[in-house]
Structure formats: C-alpha cells, structure tokens
Amino acid sequence: TEIYTLSLHDALPISLARQNNITIERLLLESRAQGQTDAKYRDEIKRQLLEYRVMNVRLQGRVQVRDEDVRHTYREIVLQERKNLSFTAAWILLRPQPQGTPVAELANSIVRSVREGHDFADLARQYSSDKKTASKGGELGRFAPGKLPTAIDRALVSLEPGDITTPIKIGDSYVIARLLARDASQLPTMEEAKAELVERVYSDKMGQARRRWLDGLRKQMHVEIRL
C-alpha cells in the first residue's frame, strides 16, 4: 500500500485575518475594543500559533494518506458529479402475476441470467410488464438526474455503462435497471488529480486528528478538575 506524506508547512494555518475574511487593521481595532493592547494581542496570536505548530508536530506522524484513501475520495467526487450528468437507461419492470413465479424470485433469476451472459434486451422483451418499453428491449430514453424514481436514480449513479442494478422493490413490483450511457465526465483522471487528492485527504485526516486530540485534552482537564 502506497503512503503519501506532506510537510508540516502544508498543514500550517492561513493567516488569522484571511481566515476571518477581514483586514489586520480590523482585527487590531476589535482587540483594542476588548481592552487589549496591540503588543498583548500579537503575543496571544504568537502563543496560539506556537500551540498549533506543537499540536501539528505531535499529530503529523499519526496521519497517513494511503492509496485506498485517495481512491475512496476520488470515487466520492465522481459520484457527486454523476448526480448532475444526464444518462440513458433501460429497465425490466416486473409486476406480480396471479399464476406466475413470485416476482422477487423472478427478478433475482433475471439478474443471474444477465450476469451469466444472457441479453438484457431479450429478457426485457420476454418478461417486462411495461409493454411500451418491452418491445424496445426495455429502453427508457435519456433522463436528467432526479427524473426517475429515487431508488432507481440512486442505484444508476454507481453503475458504469452496461451494468445492471440488483432488483429494486417499488411498491409490490420489482425493477431491474441497466445503464446504457452517461454524459462524459469533466473531471481529471485520478492520476492527474493525485496531488490535490492527497492534500485533501491529508487535510481531512489532520482535522479529525486535531478534534480527537483536543477532545482528549478537554476530558483530561475535566478529570483533573474533578480530582
């Protein structure tokens, strides 16, 4: 497993003024209004920055960015983008039949058949209860995200073209959906974005580590005060 590291400099905070989106002059004015001298305010900022650096030094060795972290983060970004990409899909709609095979059992059987190599379009023509689309091999046409039932829309987001969903229960019916095509992604490849992904994962992990460290200090102080 590949592990990525960043220097301490990468984790240092931006200036307090930028962080609060105000000028340094405004910060000083506010500190004066609270009764602090400029020198005392600067000393307090220096103390806080020193504590921040010490905390980062202690935490830095505990934070590692692995290749699976990078892949997971990139996958999340890809899925988020797909929520805005139009797509074309097909489905097999299965409604309960009084004398037929139980619909859940039939749905699972069709999924197995597709995965064994049987043609989805042929199975749609044979089994789909939606006669309007069955004759077209189950093709539904092109949709913007959010136009299909939520459960189907959500399942299609995670698919690659040609993939099918597991059976999706909608009321007393089941749907097996297939992604036919999706609009092209505008994202860079994972390799092209690796530096930014590593930095993002590192920043997220450092934030989590800082919160755990501070929570631990608070609990320790609470225990010491009670004692």
Side-chain angles (χ1 to χ4, degrees):
T1 299
E2 189 171 358
I3 297 175
Y4 308 93
T5 59
L6 298 179
S7 69
L8 178 60
H9 174 74
D10 295 319
L12 291 179
I14 60 176
S15 71
L16 189 60
R18 288 183 181 176
Q19 191 176 33
N20 290 276
N21 198 28
I22 58 178
T23 64
I24 292 180
E25 290 76 11
R26 177 66 182 277
L27 278 176
L28 292 173
L29 284 173
E30 291 186 1
S31 70
R32 291 167 191 159
Q34 296 172 8
Q36 284 187 317
T37 65
D38 291 356
K40 185 177 179 181
Y41 183 70
R42 289 192 179 95
D43 287 343
E44 177 63 17
I45 293 299
K46 288 178 182 178
R47 183 188 67 78
Q48 291 181 15
L49 287 174
L50 179 59
E51 288 180 353
Y52 189 89
R53 290 191 178 100
V54 169
M55 179 177 65
N56 273 320
V57 169
R58 290 181 178 179
L59 296 177
Q60 189 179 18
R62 306 177 193 177
V63 175
Q64 295 180 335
V65 180
R66 303 179 185 276
D67 50 2
E68 53 263 38
D69 298 324
V70 174
R71 288 196 299 270
H72 177 73
T73 297
Y74 184 74
R75 177 66 175 172
E76 288 184 331
I77 295 171
V78 167
L79 294 179
Q80 190 61 39
E81 184 202 33
R82 286 181 180 179
K83 294 178 181 179
N84 298 307
L85 298 178
S86 296
F87 58 89
T88 55
W91 74 357
I92 298 173
L93 173 65
L94 302 171
R95 295 193 180 99
Q97 303 297 323
Q99 305 301 322
T101 304
V103 66
E105 182 181 333
L106 178 59
N108 286 317
S109 174
I110 290 172
V111 167
R112 285 195 299 271
S113 294
V114 174
R115 290 175 176 168
E116 289 169 0
H118 292 81
D119 186 67
F120 183 93
D122 288 344
L123 292 168
R125 294 184 185 97
Q126 182 177 354
Y127 292 107
S128 183
S129 300
D130 180 6
K131 300 308 177 185
K132 291 182 180 179
T133 62
S135 62
K136 299 183 293 184
E139 288 192 25
L140 294 167
R142 189 169 186 269
F143 292 90
K147 297 301 182 182
L148 287 175
T150 302
I152 300 175
D153 198 76
R154 187 184 298 122
L156 287 171
V157 164
S158 64
L159 300 185
E160 301 300 328
D163 291 346
I164 64 169
T165 66
T166 56
I168 302 169
K169 192 174 190 302
I170 300 179
D172 60 355
S173 301
Y174 279 84
V175 166
I176 304 157
R178 183 186 187 195
L179 182 68
L180 300 178
R182 180 184 288 115
D183 287 357
S185 171
Q186 300 302 309
L187 294 173
T189 65
M190 190 176 75
E191 287 302 317
E192 292 170 340
K194 182 167 282 188
E196 290 81 3
L197 291 168
V198 169
E199 186 173 354
R200 174 170 175 169
V201 174
Y202 183 86
S203 177
D204 290 345
K205 286 195 168 190
M206 277 296 290
Q208 295 168 9
R210 290 187 196 106
R211 287 190 290 273
R212 287 194 298 269
W213 190 72
L214 291 172
D215 286 344
L217 284 181
R218 292 190 190 100
K219 291 177 182 177
Q220 181 180 343
M221 290 176 64
H222 180 69
V223 171
E224 289 175 351
I225 290 171
R226 293 188 63 183
L227 293 175

